[in-house]
Amino acid sequence: MKKPPKRSGPANRSVVALVYDGLCTFEYGIAVEMFGLARPEFSHWYEFASCAVDRGPMRAAGGIRVQADGGLALLAKAGTIIVPGWRGAQTEPPPALLDALRAAHKRGARLLSFCSGVFVLAAAGLLDGHTATTHWRYADVLAVRYPKIRIEPDVLYVDEGNLLTSAGSAAAIDLSLHLIRRDFGPQIANQVARRAVVPTHRDGGQAQFIPSPLPEQGAALGKLLEWMRRHLDEPLPLSLLAERARMSERTLLRRFEEATGCSPKQWLTHERLARARELLEGSDLAVEQIADACGFGSADTLRHHFRRNLKLSPARYRERFAH
């Protein structure tokens, strides 16, 4: 199988994270861990800096004092800008910050918001007409204040190209790994996740592009799930699964949902999509061949599930992630 060329990172490797009085320490720490930590094992890694939004002493949650690398001028040359939370949904960001973000977006910089940081991008008007997410506690407030934004409250993150938003605090890790995956490919993203001792991927909704994990389960059901994963290209009716698990169909459905949070059919769809994504990224197989190898039966069925779950076609996915 012919593999696509490895990705070597973004053209502009400068990543700048905002710091401000009242800084969300955890979200900022994620930005540092994902993009600012020295990684000598990787060549051409990101160049990280912090940008002060406010003048004078700045405090972070937990009583920490913060000193930044520079002021808003750093945003003028940044390839990626991170807004690690904000000090309040009702607190208006400074006009100078909003102007700098608009200018950065206009020249093509990527803007990421973690959790409540979405309110900064929204205040700049950058999310109007786009899809975005935030912590579930803020979704209703965001919808009322900024009705032009299409809000997805049940996903871990949303990728709109150069505008990326994440849900509550820990979802910033998922979004960061997603961007690293976009820039350097799945292998490097997995290495970063292992070093941080976090899952390489989590299932959190319909609009994300990372593979679904194997949920927690008992040993017996775990063996069944592993067998199902090895036979994704075959028909797997409930009767066959119940027979292999030595349970009644009703008992299997109940225990399966208790362990995974979904039905066998839903789990199979997620796993088949994950396998299809791997083949689209790492092979030159035709969509029809991938559909057959993953158990979808036809290219039309594969396209249906891609559009329903990932909001794009298999061909568009391959174009975006394989090259």
Side-chain angles (χ1 to χ4, degrees):
M1 275 182 200
K2 180 182 177 182
K3 291 188 177 181
K6 291 184 178 180
R7 280 157 280 181
S8 57
N12 185 340
R13 300 175 187 278
S14 172
V15 176
V16 176
L18 302 183
V19 295
Y20 48 88
D21 190 40
L23 178 66
C24 297
T25 306
F26 182 64
E27 286 84 345
Y28 177 72
I30 291 172
V32 174
E33 173 72 24
M34 293 290 108
F35 302 100
L37 197 66
R39 301 188 186 275
E41 67 272 30
F42 304 143
S43 60
H44 308 297
W45 194 243
Y46 302 100
E47 300 169 358
F48 184 84
S50 57
C51 163
V53 172
D54 302 310
R55 294 182 178 180
M58 293 177 291
R59 300 159 296 171
I64 301 171
R65 294 272 182 175
V66 182
Q67 183 173 351
D69 295 307
L72 294 178
L74 290 175
L75 302 185
K77 296 183 179 180
T80 302
I81 298 170
I82 300 175
V83 187
W86 188 238
R87 47 189 168 226
Q90 307 296 336
T91 304
E92 289 294 327
L97 170 61
L98 300 182
D99 289 341
L101 292 176
R102 294 186 192 106
H105 179 258
K106 185 176 181 179
R107 64 174 175 77
R110 304 182 300 192
L111 276 61
L112 283 68
S113 69
F114 295 167
C115 195
S116 58
V118 71
F119 287 95
V120 177
L121 300 186
L126 299 175
L127 297 177
D128 289 354
H130 292 278
T131 301
T133 193
T134 186
H135 194 292
W136 56 267
R137 291 175 57 201
Y138 304 132
D140 290 342
V141 177
L142 185 66
V144 170
R145 292 194 63 189
Y146 302 100
K148 293 182 181 180
I149 302 174
R150 297 187 298 272
I151 299 169
E152 290 278 357
D154 60 345
V155 298
L156 291 178
Y157 60 82
V158 170
D159 179 346
E160 286 264 303
N162 283 355
L163 294 167
L164 302 94
T165 54
S166 74
S169 301
I173 298 174
D174 300 284
L175 177 56
S176 299
L177 288 172
H178 169 71
L179 187 60
I180 293 170
R181 186 168 179 262
R182 264 180 55 178
D183 288 344
F184 293 95
Q187 183 177 358
I188 299 300
N190 290 345
Q191 288 181 250
V192 173
R194 283 195 295 271
R195 181 169 171 179
V197 198
V198 296
T200 58
H201 41 256
R202 290 195 296 159
D203 183 16
Q206 303 295 325
Q208 54 183 337
F209 303 113
I210 48 180
S212 302
L214 178 66
E216 296 182 5
Q217 68 288 103
L221 191 57
K223 291 180 180 179
L224 175 64
L225 296 181
E226 290 298 334
W227 181 86
M228 292 167 67
R229 184 177 280 115
R230 292 194 303 269
H231 295 81
L232 292 175
D233 60 330
E234 303 173 13
L236 298 176
L238 182 61
S239 58
L240 175 61
L241 300 180
E243 182 181 348
R244 286 200 63 87
R246 297 182 181 180
M247 303 176 190
S248 68
E249 294 183 13
R250 183 174 181 178
T251 299
L252 176 62
L253 283 172
R254 176 172 55 81
R255 293 188 179 178
F256 202 101
E257 186 161 355
E258 288 174 353
T260 70
C262 60
S263 69
K265 183 178 180 180
Q266 291 170 325
W267 189 88
L268 277 170
T269 298
H270 281 301
E271 290 298 315
R272 284 169 169 156
L273 280 171
R275 178 59 179 152
R277 292 197 293 270
E278 291 175 2
L279 293 175
L280 286 167
E281 291 180 20
S283 80
D284 58 357
L285 291 175
V287 172
E288 292 77 8
Q289 293 173 295
I290 291 176
D292 186 60
C294 298
F296 284 111
S298 72
D300 285 342
T301 302
L302 175 60
R303 293 187 185 100
H304 165 76
H305 285 291
F306 255 74
R307 290 193 178 97
R308 181 177 180 181
N309 289 273
L310 303 178
K311 312 302 183 188
L312 76 174
S313 69
R316 182 72 181 93
Y317 183 90
R318 170 173 270 169
E319 178 186 335
R320 184 169 189 177
F321 288 104
H323 300 286

